[in-house]
Amino acid sequence: MLGNWLGEIVKRSDSGPYMKEAEFEMALSKRTGELVKAHGLKFNGQEPVPSDDEMADRLYEAGLELFVDLGVYNQTTERCIRFSRDEAERVVAAAPEAVTLGVGKDAVVMRHRGVESEVPCVVHSGPTGTPCSERYHPLILQSCARERLVDCLGAGSVSTYMGQAITPGTPLEILASRRDAGVAREAVRMAGRPGMHINDVAVPLTCAGKMAAIDLGSGLRPSDALLVSQMVEMKTDFDQLSRVAHLQNVGMHVADLMTPLIGGLGGGAEGTAVVTVASHILGAVLYSASYHFMSHTHLRWVNNTDRMGLWMQAMVGQALGRNTPMVTVNDIYTVSGPGTDELLWECAAGAVVGAVCGMNQQGAGATGGYETDHTTGLEARFIAEVAHAALGLTRGEANGIVLELLSHYEDTFDEPKRGMSFPEVYDEETVEPKEAWLDIYHQVRQAVIGLGLDLDGGWKKVRYE
Amino acid sequence: MSENPTHVGLSEALKQGKAEEAEALARQALDEGSDPLELIQTVVVPTLTEIGRRFQEFEIFLPELMLAGEAAKRATAPIEAAIAESGKGSASLGTVVIGTVANDVHDIGKNIVGTLLSAHGFKVVDLGRDISPSGFLDAAEQHEADVVAMSSLMTTTRPAQQSTIKLFEETGKRGSYKIIVGGGSTNEQWAEKIGADGYAPDAASAAELCRKLLKGE
């Protein structure tokens, strides 16, 4: 197995079987359905955190079979890139099980965690999938970077450059990419954490735009990462693969981003779980990723804190935790927004499942990305506190807690409480949460402590013991 | 819904996404003397509307919707041929040219809208993704579209919807078509701002919006 086999991937992209994209999608749906049946995978809404090792292993096997049977669709060449089972298994086995993110005193080691692990979660934050205005973007990033329990920062996305709409592929995209990288760098510097890992600059949509974010002085560095995306489901193109080529050569982390849709091509929770396991294998084999972001969302509500989303997170986390060395991160997407207690309940559910089922944490993608500037650092603090408090829970214990957490928000999905924007819940001068938002945080925090999670002691144990 | 056993069978085949069976039953119904236009209006459209509702309610998922859409395509081909032969006009509610705007490669939402529009009886011309403003304009003229539907997921690709409408205006073609927008980065306010004729938050609403626009409501 070659260390860098992009040449081989390009070759297979040109020589693999030709297929129209719609045919690939149909074949993927069909094969996924067959694998769900063949491996006896069954979603149970009453058990969002299953304790079934055998089902987790069967899920992994189904995902591996899907990857080998279908391959990956290259949209540029309209051909399938195929790999043998042996190739896939070898690459997965050699995937990094720990990566150092950031540099100097601010560096953290993010590890493969495993099921019911005592290994602490690394917590990523930033405006995940939530668009920001030029005006509030710097403050939102500062609010996240200054949270002591947040380990890494994502720069998020702003859709204008000095008031002008950014069109991909134009000079404005390059300028905006460099500006956002600089804003993120400044945010971590102002927080007194200049070496903190920055996991992406999301505004650029082209390879050139992404690469423009790299700047040793005022932008992203090799100790940071940029996302390389998969298109739903199991698709890539040469633009994405070109990002891998550059990042590998400058020694920078590749963060694999997948966005599986529950209710989409994979079908329900079980099928989407199979596709998501296969997508992780894709990220290892094609992108040589340092780590993987699992950003699955419900097709209608654009969250993953519903029962199907949590079950999928739990099962995929366990399948990968038991069968691979991969370093995985769960993106928490919520329907609710800042200033609502529902946002914190949703974050808590995602954090408990991730912590117990082998994943690291990222969040929150508040309002499913519908509302501009509806994201703050406070929910990231809460995710970290809950994740650290959940260490050592069994899956059975986590299941009970998650069922209770669900009861506080799941009836709002059809009429979500989008909450308030950043300036309504944060002081713009001090970049601190306003009293009303803090009150809600303290209320929910106390209630979660009442469920048996030690939010006061959990993080101290992680940090000091 | 008709109680004619062939009609009932056709409806079932569509629901189960059995394309060959659906086509065979459509042909059988025509051979048995069913009026083709009535077959569309009383069997195909109500069945597919029900499938669309079940998808919207998350009772079924995209794979089932895709299979039903495929079955509908196969079944309606001989029925539409029979309508054309009879000279009774068209079963289509109108022609919709649909695509994801320039620089945006996210098309699953647009695909779902296309499938549901077909299910509701529209003729859909799917241009794919990353479609330039002139791509929409050329296709609208070529296919004599009634509606042009543009999707955009990203806030950075959303301005292409505005550029496309602008091109229709500059070329004097704006009045010839209804233009609607949708996708994760759009909303009612954005649609109003760029001068679109409508916005739909999801696939089912898109079908309803097209129907209303073409009825002049």
Side-chain angles (χ1 to χ4, degrees):
Chain A
M1 183 63 59
L2 301 170
N4 176 351
W5 67 335
L6 279 169
E8 181 63 24
I9 289 169
V10 170
K11 202 184 287 176
R12 292 188 198 188
S13 293
D14 287 324
S15 62
Y18 168 80
M19 208 182 250
K20 283 186 178 169
E21 197 166 333
E23 288 170 16
F24 178 81
E25 291 180 346
M26 197 62 97
L28 182 133
S29 284
K30 188 166 174 267
R31 185 70 186 124
T32 302
E34 290 167 357
L35 288 165
V36 167
K37 275 188 193 156
H39 290 280
L41 305 173
K42 192 72 195 152
F43 163 69
N44 175 4
Q46 292 310 308
E47 195 181 17
V49 191
S51 310
D52 186 341
D53 289 346
E54 284 181 9
M55 184 158 70
D57 294 346
R58 294 199 304 273
L59 170 60
Y60 183 75
E61 175 59 27
L64 180 58
E65 284 180 31
L66 181 67
F67 179 81
V68 172
D69 292 351
L70 262 288
V72 177
Y73 191 77
N74 186 328
Q75 293 177 322
T76 311
T77 61
E78 298 180 294
R79 289 176 186 274
C80 295
I81 315 169
R82 296 261 166 88
F83 303 90
S84 69
R85 185 182 176 104
D86 182 57
E87 285 173 329
E89 284 182 330
R90 279 168 184 261
V91 175
V92 168
E97 58 183 339
V99 286
T100 301
L101 306 178
V103 70
K105 70 176 178 58
D106 304 313
V108 292
V109 178
M110 185 162 69
R111 300 178 188 283
H112 171 82
R113 295 191 53 255
V115 181
E116 298 177 1
S117 170
E118 293 278 359
V119 175
C121 299
V122 162
V123 179
H124 296 246
S125 182
T128 316
T130 307
C132 297
S133 64
E134 281 188 81
R135 183 174 177 188
Y136 292 114
H137 181 236
L139 298 181
I140 289 168
L141 291 189
Q142 285 171 36
S143 80
C144 296
R146 64 192 303 171
E147 287 292 341
R148 299 310 299 183
L149 297 181
V150 165
D151 301 301
C152 307
L153 182 70
S157 184
V158 180
S159 55
T160 55
Y161 185 81
M162 298 182 76
Q164 197 174 341
I166 300 161
T167 302
T170 68
L172 285 185
E173 183 188 42
I174 303 291
L175 291 170
S177 178
R178 294 185 60 74
R179 174 201 61 195
D180 289 359
V183 168
R185 175 63 57 213
E186 181 64 4
V188 297
R189 191 193 64 73
M190 286 180 72
R193 309 166 81 184
M196 181 190 266
H197 176 73
I198 298 171
N199 64 33
D200 188 43
V201 173
V203 69
L205 296 183
T206 66
C207 180
K210 282 280 182 194
M211 298 313 109
I214 302 170
D215 185 322
L216 293 183
S218 57
L220 268 58
R221 309 162 176 166
S223 57
D224 299 319
L226 283 167
L227 297 179
V228 178
S229 301
Q230 302 182 26
M231 276 63 80
V232 285
E233 308 287 2
M234 304 285 294
K235 297 175 195 166
T236 188
D237 61 22
F238 279 151
D239 186 90
Q240 299 293 335
L241 289 164
S242 297
R243 301 171 199 207
V244 176
H246 190 77
L247 295 175
Q248 277 182 345
N249 271 270
V250 297
M252 198 162 161
H253 292 290
V254 170
D256 166 34
L257 174 68
M258 68 203 77
T259 53
L261 291 167
I262 298 177
L265 293 172
E270 307 94 325
T272 314
V274 173
V275 170
T276 306
V277 168
S279 299
H280 278 83
I281 298 171
L282 185 166
V285 175
L286 272 85
Y287 296 168
S288 304
S290 292
Y291 58 95
H292 307 260
F293 279 119
M294 183 172 94
S295 292
H296 62 301
T297 51
H298 188 282
L299 189 61
R300 191 165 56 156
W301 297 318
V302 199
N303 69 331
N304 51 33
T305 53
D306 64 300
R307 288 174 192 250
M308 292 173 98
L310 293 170
W311 182 91
M312 213 202 90
Q313 179 187 341
M315 286 309 302
V316 171
Q318 292 180 47
L320 297 168
R322 289 174 53 80
N323 293 280
T324 78
M326 288 185 201
V327 181
T328 56
V329 185
N330 180 64
D331 283 357
I332 298 173
Y333 271 82
T334 67
V335 297
S336 316
T340 70
D341 60 281
E342 284 83 0
L343 171 60
L344 299 174
W345 291 114
E346 287 188 74
C347 285
V352 168
V353 174
V356 175
C357 297
M359 309 196 91
N360 293 281
Q361 311 274 343
Q362 153 102 18
T367 76
Y370 277 112
E371 302 290 341
T372 300
D373 293 331
H374 278 52
T375 179
T376 79
L378 188 59
E379 55 266 27
R381 181 197 305 178
F382 192 61
I383 287 169
E385 288 177 332
V386 173
H388 294 327
L391 290 185
L393 287 181
T394 65
R395 284 166 286 179
E397 289 166 339
N399 190 65
I401 292 171
V402 168
L403 286 173
E404 174 62 26
L405 295 170
L406 274 160
S407 71
H408 290 272
Y409 64 82
E410 67 178 338
D411 61 347
T412 66
F413 290 155
D414 284 327
E415 289 179 17
K417 297 182 180 174
R418 302 298 195 196
M420 289 177 269
S421 65
F422 183 84
E424 294 173 284
V425 292
Y426 260 63
D427 184 309
E428 293 177 46
E429 300 295 325
T430 64
V431 197
E432 292 285 348
K434 287 181 180 172
E435 210 55 43
W437 185 206
L438 268 180
D439 284 347
I440 291 168
Y441 159 76
H442 285 300
Q443 283 166 20
V444 177
R445 195 174 185 279
Q446 279 310 117
V448 170
I449 289 171
L451 297 178
L453 288 173
D454 182 7
L455 299 194
D456 291 321
W459 67 269
K460 288 178 188 161
K461 195 174 163 192
V462 165
R463 287 295 160 114
Y464 304 124
E465 288 179 15
Chain B
M1 173 69 76
S2 159
E3 287 178 9
N4 176 318
T6 311
H7 293 188
V8 172
L10 172 59
S11 177
E12 268 315 301
L14 290 172
K15 282 179 191 165
Q16 291 172 25
K18 293 180 176 171
E20 278 179 25
E21 197 179 319
E23 184 183 346
L25 285 163
R27 289 186 189 283
Q28 188 182 323
L30 292 170
D31 290 346
E32 289 168 358
S34 294
D35 179 80
L37 203 54
E38 207 180 305
L39 205 52
I40 291 279
Q41 287 165 349
T42 63
V43 181
V44 178
V45 170
T47 302
L48 294 178
T49 302
E50 170 61 10
I51 291 167
R53 185 201 63 74
R54 293 178 65 199
F55 174 72
Q56 198 66 19
E57 294 300 318
F58 241 53
E59 291 169 16
I60 60 169
F61 304 116
L62 187 54
E64 290 92 334
L65 182 71
M66 286 162 60
L67 286 173
E70 194 57 36
K73 248 186 221 168
R74 292 277 295 271
T76 51
I79 303 175
E80 279 177 353
I83 291 169
E85 212 171 280
S86 70
K88 282 188 179 175
S90 169
S92 168
L93 295 179
T95 300
V96 182
V97 161
I98 189 170
T100 305
V101 296
N103 295 305
D104 202 327
V105 297
H106 301 86
D107 60 1
I108 194 160
K110 179 267 297 171
N111 293 345
I112 294 169
V113 172
T115 304
L116 274 187
L117 285 172
S118 295
H120 282 78
F122 291 92
K123 182 186 168 195
V124 175
V125 180
D126 188 344
L127 304 179
R129 57 177 175 265
D130 191 8
I131 303 302
S132 65
S134 63
F136 279 105
L137 181 61
D138 291 347
E141 291 190 281
Q142 185 192 337
H143 297 282
E144 297 176 349
D146 299 293
V147 178
V148 175
M150 293 185 282
S151 170
S152 159
L153 180 73
M154 316 293 284
T155 48
T156 41
T157 56
R158 192 174 69 167
Q161 293 181 334
Q162 191 167 22
S163 318
T164 305
I165 291 178
K166 193 166 163 241
L167 182 65
F168 276 76
E169 283 166 354
E170 286 172 358
T171 52
K173 304 285 168 52
R174 178 67 183 87
S176 307
Y177 311 100
K178 298 292 182 189
I179 302 183
I180 64 173
V181 296
S185 66
T186 62
N187 55 30
E188 196 77 55
Q189 292 74 30
W190 170 252
E192 269 177 40
K193 184 181 169 190
I194 64 174
D197 293 305
Y199 156 77
D202 54 50
S205 319
E208 192 50 37
L209 176 63
C210 287
R211 209 184 332 238
K212 277 186 179 170
L213 285 172
L214 296 186
K215 275 187 182 171
E217 290 175 14

Short mmCIF file of all heavy atoms in Angstrom, two decimals, chain B residues 32-69:
data_model
loop_
_atom_site.label_atom_id
_atom_site.label_comp_id
_atom_site.label_asym_id
_atom_site.label_seq_id
_atom_site.Cartn_x
_atom_site.Cartn_y
_atom_site.Cartn_z
N GLU B 32 -58.09 -2.19 -22.10
CA GLU B 32 -59.44 -2.49 -21.59
C GLU B 32 -60.40 -1.33 -21.82
O GLU B 32 -61.55 -1.38 -21.41
CB GLU B 32 -59.37 -2.82 -20.10
CG GLU B 32 -58.73 -4.17 -19.81
CD GLU B 32 -58.41 -4.38 -18.33
OE1 GLU B 32 -58.66 -3.46 -17.53
OE2 GLU B 32 -57.91 -5.46 -17.99
N GLY B 33 -59.88 -0.25 -22.41
CA GLY B 33 -60.76 0.86 -22.76
C GLY B 33 -60.77 2.03 -21.81
O GLY B 33 -61.60 2.94 -21.93
N SER B 34 -59.87 2.05 -20.84
CA SER B 34 -59.82 3.20 -19.92
C SER B 34 -59.46 4.46 -20.69
O SER B 34 -58.60 4.42 -21.59
CB SER B 34 -58.78 2.97 -18.83
OG SER B 34 -59.16 1.90 -18.01
N ASP B 35 -60.09 5.56 -20.35
CA ASP B 35 -59.75 6.84 -20.96
C ASP B 35 -58.38 7.28 -20.42
O ASP B 35 -58.19 7.36 -19.20
CB ASP B 35 -60.81 7.88 -20.59
CG ASP B 35 -60.47 9.23 -21.18
OD1 ASP B 35 -60.74 9.42 -22.37
OD2 ASP B 35 -59.93 10.08 -20.44
N PRO B 36 -57.41 7.55 -21.32
CA PRO B 36 -56.05 7.85 -20.84
C PRO B 36 -55.97 9.06 -19.92
O PRO B 36 -55.28 9.04 -18.91
CB PRO B 36 -55.24 8.06 -22.12
CG PRO B 36 -56.21 8.21 -23.22
CD PRO B 36 -57.48 7.54 -22.79
N LEU B 37 -56.72 10.12 -20.28
CA LEU B 37 -56.67 11.33 -19.46
C LEU B 37 -57.24 11.05 -18.06
O LEU B 37 -56.69 11.49 -17.03
CB LEU B 37 -57.46 12.45 -20.14
CG LEU B 37 -57.12 13.88 -19.77
CD1 LEU B 37 -55.64 14.17 -19.93
CD2 LEU B 37 -57.94 14.86 -20.62
N GLU B 38 -58.32 10.28 -18.06
CA GLU B 38 -58.96 9.93 -16.79
C GLU B 38 -58.03 9.04 -15.95
O GLU B 38 -57.98 9.14 -14.72
CB GLU B 38 -60.25 9.18 -17.10
CG GLU B 38 -61.30 9.32 -16.02
CD GLU B 38 -62.55 8.56 -16.40
OE1 GLU B 38 -63.08 8.81 -17.50
OE2 GLU B 38 -62.96 7.68 -15.62
N LEU B 39 -57.28 8.18 -16.65
CA LEU B 39 -56.33 7.30 -15.97
C LEU B 39 -55.28 8.12 -15.22
O LEU B 39 -54.93 7.83 -14.07
CB LEU B 39 -55.65 6.41 -17.01
CG LEU B 39 -55.07 5.06 -16.58
CD1 LEU B 39 -56.08 4.23 -15.82
CD2 LEU B 39 -54.60 4.29 -17.81
N ILE B 40 -54.82 9.16 -15.89
CA ILE B 40 -53.85 10.05 -15.24
C ILE B 40 -54.50 10.76 -14.06
O ILE B 40 -53.97 10.77 -12.94
CB ILE B 40 -53.31 11.11 -16.25
CG1 ILE B 40 -52.43 10.46 -17.32
CG2 ILE B 40 -52.57 12.23 -15.53
CD1 ILE B 40 -51.01 10.19 -16.92
N GLN B 41 -55.67 11.33 -14.32
CA GLN B 41 -56.29 12.19 -13.30
C GLN B 41 -56.86 11.42 -12.11
O GLN B 41 -56.87 11.92 -10.99
CB GLN B 41 -57.39 13.04 -13.95
CG GLN B 41 -56.81 14.15 -14.81
CD GLN B 41 -57.83 14.78 -15.74
OE1 GLN B 41 -58.95 14.26 -15.89
NE2 GLN B 41 -57.46 15.87 -16.39
N THR B 42 -57.35 10.20 -12.36
CA THR B 42 -58.01 9.50 -11.24
C THR B 42 -57.15 8.40 -10.61
O THR B 42 -57.47 7.91 -9.54
CB THR B 42 -59.34 8.86 -11.70
OG1 THR B 42 -59.04 7.87 -12.69
CG2 THR B 42 -60.29 9.89 -12.24
N VAL B 43 -56.08 8.00 -11.30
CA VAL B 43 -55.24 6.94 -10.73
C VAL B 43 -53.81 7.42 -10.46
O VAL B 43 -53.35 7.41 -9.31
CB VAL B 43 -55.20 5.68 -11.64
CG1 VAL B 43 -54.35 4.59 -11.01
CG2 VAL B 43 -56.60 5.18 -11.93
N VAL B 44 -53.14 7.87 -11.51
CA VAL B 44 -51.71 8.17 -11.36
C VAL B 44 -51.47 9.36 -10.43
O VAL B 44 -50.72 9.25 -9.45
CB VAL B 44 -51.06 8.42 -12.75
CG1 VAL B 44 -49.59 8.77 -12.58
CG2 VAL B 44 -51.20 7.18 -13.62
N VAL B 45 -52.13 10.48 -10.72
CA VAL B 45 -51.87 11.68 -9.91
C VAL B 45 -52.26 11.48 -8.44
O VAL B 45 -51.47 11.77 -7.53
CB VAL B 45 -52.53 12.94 -10.53
CG1 VAL B 45 -52.47 14.12 -9.57
CG2 VAL B 45 -51.83 13.29 -11.84
N PRO B 46 -53.48 10.96 -8.15
CA PRO B 46 -53.82 10.76 -6.72
C PRO B 46 -52.87 9.80 -6.01
O PRO B 46 -52.49 10.02 -4.86
CB PRO B 46 -55.23 10.17 -6.75
CG PRO B 46 -55.78 10.49 -8.09
CD PRO B 46 -54.62 10.62 -9.01
N THR B 47 -52.43 8.75 -6.71
CA THR B 47 -51.51 7.79 -6.08
C THR B 47 -50.18 8.46 -5.77
O THR B 47 -49.64 8.32 -4.67
CB THR B 47 -51.26 6.58 -7.01
OG1 THR B 47 -52.51 5.97 -7.31
CG2 THR B 47 -50.34 5.56 -6.36
N LEU B 48 -49.67 9.20 -6.75
CA LEU B 48 -48.37 9.83 -6.53
C LEU B 48 -48.46 10.98 -5.52
O LEU B 48 -47.52 11.24 -4.79
CB LEU B 48 -47.79 10.31 -7.86
CG LEU B 48 -47.43 9.15 -8.81
CD1 LEU B 48 -46.92 9.68 -10.14
CD2 LEU B 48 -46.41 8.22 -8.20
N THR B 49 -49.60 11.62 -5.48
CA THR B 49 -49.78 12.66 -4.45
C THR B 49 -49.73 12.03 -3.07
O THR B 49 -49.12 12.56 -2.14
CB THR B 49 -51.14 13.37 -4.66
OG1 THR B 49 -51.15 13.93 -5.97
CG2 THR B 49 -51.35 14.49 -3.65
N GLU B 50 -50.36 10.86 -2.94
CA GLU B 50 -50.34 10.14 -1.66
C GLU B 50 -48.90 9.70 -1.32
O GLU B 50 -48.46 9.81 -0.17
CB GLU B 50 -51.27 8.92 -1.76
CG GLU B 50 -51.19 7.92 -0.61
CD GLU B 50 -51.54 8.51 0.75
OE1 GLU B 50 -52.05 9.65 0.80
OE2 GLU B 50 -51.28 7.83 1.78
N ILE B 51 -48.16 9.25 -2.32
CA ILE B 51 -46.76 8.86 -2.08
C ILE B 51 -45.95 10.08 -1.62
O ILE B 51 -45.15 10.01 -0.70
CB ILE B 51 -46.15 8.23 -3.36
CG1 ILE B 51 -46.80 6.87 -3.61
CG2 ILE B 51 -44.63 8.08 -3.23
CD1 ILE B 51 -46.53 6.30 -4.99
N GLY B 52 -46.21 11.21 -2.27
CA GLY B 52 -45.53 12.45 -1.89
C GLY B 52 -45.86 12.84 -0.45
O GLY B 52 -44.98 13.27 0.30
N ARG B 53 -47.11 12.68 -0.08
CA ARG B 53 -47.50 13.01 1.30
C ARG B 53 -46.79 12.09 2.30
O ARG B 53 -46.28 12.53 3.33
CB ARG B 53 -49.02 12.84 1.46
CG ARG B 53 -49.55 13.28 2.82
CD ARG B 53 -50.89 12.66 3.17
NE ARG B 53 -50.88 11.21 3.28
CZ ARG B 53 -50.34 10.52 4.31
NH1 ARG B 53 -49.79 11.16 5.31
NH2 ARG B 53 -50.35 9.19 4.32
N ARG B 54 -46.72 10.81 1.96
CA ARG B 54 -46.06 9.85 2.87
C ARG B 54 -44.58 10.17 3.00
O ARG B 54 -43.99 10.02 4.07
CB ARG B 54 -46.28 8.42 2.37
CG ARG B 54 -47.74 7.99 2.47
CD ARG B 54 -47.94 6.59 1.94
NE ARG B 54 -47.25 5.60 2.75
CZ ARG B 54 -46.95 4.37 2.33
NH1 ARG B 54 -47.29 3.98 1.13
NH2 ARG B 54 -46.31 3.54 3.12
N PHE B 55 -43.97 10.63 1.90
CA PHE B 55 -42.56 11.01 1.97
C PHE B 55 -42.40 12.25 2.86
O PHE B 55 -41.51 12.32 3.70
CB PHE B 55 -42.04 11.31 0.55
CG PHE B 55 -40.64 11.85 0.53
CD1 PHE B 55 -39.56 11.03 0.82
CD2 PHE B 55 -40.40 13.18 0.24
CE1 PHE B 55 -38.26 11.54 0.83
CE2 PHE B 55 -39.11 13.69 0.23
CZ PHE B 55 -38.04 12.87 0.52
N GLN B 56 -43.30 13.20 2.67
CA GLN B 56 -43.24 14.43 3.44
C GLN B 56 -43.40 14.15 4.94
O GLN B 56 -42.80 14.80 5.77
CB GLN B 56 -44.36 15.37 2.95
CG GLN B 56 -44.18 16.81 3.32
CD GLN B 56 -42.97 17.44 2.64
OE1 GLN B 56 -42.47 16.92 1.65
NE2 GLN B 56 -42.47 18.53 3.19
N GLU B 57 -44.22 13.15 5.25
CA GLU B 57 -44.47 12.79 6.66
C GLU B 57 -43.42 11.82 7.21
O GLU B 57 -43.55 11.32 8.32
CB GLU B 57 -45.86 12.17 6.80
CG GLU B 57 -47.01 13.14 6.53
CD GLU B 57 -47.01 14.33 7.46
OE1 GLU B 57 -46.78 14.14 8.66
OE2 GLU B 57 -47.21 15.47 6.98
N PHE B 58 -42.42 11.48 6.39
CA PHE B 58 -41.35 10.56 6.81
C PHE B 58 -41.88 9.15 7.06
O PHE B 58 -41.31 8.37 7.82
CB PHE B 58 -40.65 11.09 8.07
CG PHE B 58 -39.17 11.34 7.83
CD1 PHE B 58 -38.74 12.13 6.78
CD2 PHE B 58 -38.21 10.76 8.66
CE1 PHE B 58 -37.39 12.35 6.56
CE2 PHE B 58 -36.85 10.96 8.44
CZ PHE B 58 -36.45 11.76 7.39
N GLU B 59 -43.01 8.81 6.40
CA GLU B 59 -43.51 7.43 6.51
C GLU B 59 -42.74 6.55 5.53
O GLU B 59 -42.61 5.34 5.73
CB GLU B 59 -45.00 7.39 6.18
CG GLU B 59 -45.86 8.08 7.23
CD GLU B 59 -47.30 8.27 6.76
OE1 GLU B 59 -47.71 7.62 5.78
OE2 GLU B 59 -47.99 9.09 7.38
N ILE B 60 -42.28 7.14 4.43
CA ILE B 60 -41.37 6.44 3.51
C ILE B 60 -40.18 7.37 3.27
O ILE B 60 -40.23 8.55 3.62
CB ILE B 60 -42.05 6.09 2.15
CG1 ILE B 60 -42.54 7.37 1.45
CG2 ILE B 60 -43.16 5.08 2.34
CD1 ILE B 60 -42.96 7.14 0.02
N PHE B 61 -39.12 6.81 2.68
CA PHE B 61 -37.90 7.60 2.50
C PHE B 61 -37.58 7.75 1.00
O PHE B 61 -38.26 7.20 0.14
CB PHE B 61 -36.75 6.96 3.26
CG PHE B 61 -37.05 6.78 4.72
CD1 PHE B 61 -37.13 5.51 5.29
CD2 PHE B 61 -37.31 7.88 5.53
CE1 PHE B 61 -37.43 5.35 6.63
CE2 PHE B 61 -37.61 7.73 6.87
CZ PHE B 61 -37.67 6.46 7.43
N LEU B 62 -36.49 8.46 0.75
CA LEU B 62 -36.14 8.79 -0.64
C LEU B 62 -36.05 7.56 -1.56
O LEU B 62 -36.51 7.63 -2.71
CB LEU B 62 -34.83 9.59 -0.66
CG LEU B 62 -34.41 10.16 -2.01
CD1 LEU B 62 -35.49 11.01 -2.64
CD2 LEU B 62 -33.12 10.97 -1.85
N PRO B 63 -35.47 6.43 -1.13
CA PRO B 63 -35.41 5.29 -2.05
C PRO B 63 -36.79 4.86 -2.55
O PRO B 63 -36.95 4.59 -3.74
CB PRO B 63 -34.77 4.18 -1.19
CG PRO B 63 -33.95 4.93 -0.20
CD PRO B 63 -34.73 6.17 0.12
N GLU B 64 -37.78 4.85 -1.66
CA GLU B 64 -39.12 4.47 -2.07
C GLU B 64 -39.71 5.53 -3.02
O GLU B 64 -40.38 5.19 -4.00
CB GLU B 64 -40.05 4.32 -0.85
CG GLU B 64 -39.75 3.10 0.02
CD GLU B 64 -38.77 3.41 1.15
OE1 GLU B 64 -37.96 4.35 1.02
OE2 GLU B 64 -38.81 2.69 2.17
N LEU B 65 -39.43 6.79 -2.73
CA LEU B 65 -39.93 7.87 -3.59
C LEU B 65 -39.31 7.77 -4.98
O LEU B 65 -39.98 7.93 -6.00
CB LEU B 65 -39.60 9.23 -2.96
CG LEU B 65 -40.11 10.44 -3.73
CD1 LEU B 65 -41.62 10.57 -3.62
CD2 LEU B 65 -39.47 11.73 -3.20
N MET B 66 -38.00 7.47 -5.01
CA MET B 66 -37.32 7.35 -6.30
C MET B 66 -37.89 6.19 -7.12
O MET B 66 -38.11 6.31 -8.33
CB MET B 66 -35.81 7.12 -6.08
CG MET B 66 -35.06 8.37 -5.64
SD MET B 66 -33.46 8.00 -4.89
CE MET B 66 -32.60 7.16 -6.18
N LEU B 67 -38.13 5.07 -6.44
CA LEU B 67 -38.67 3.91 -7.15
C LEU B 67 -40.07 4.22 -7.69
O LEU B 67 -40.41 3.85 -8.82
CB LEU B 67 -38.72 2.70 -6.22
CG LEU B 67 -37.37 2.05 -5.91
CD1 LEU B 67 -37.53 0.96 -4.86
CD2 LEU B 67 -36.75 1.45 -7.17
N ALA B 68 -40.88 4.90 -6.88
CA ALA B 68 -42.23 5.26 -7.32
C ALA B 68 -42.16 6.22 -8.50
O ALA B 68 -42.93 6.11 -9.46
CB ALA B 68 -43.01 5.89 -6.16
N GLY B 69 -41.20 7.15 -8.44
CA GLY B 69 -41.03 8.10 -9.54
C GLY B 69 -40.65 7.40 -10.83
O GLY B 69 -41.14 7.70 -11.91
#
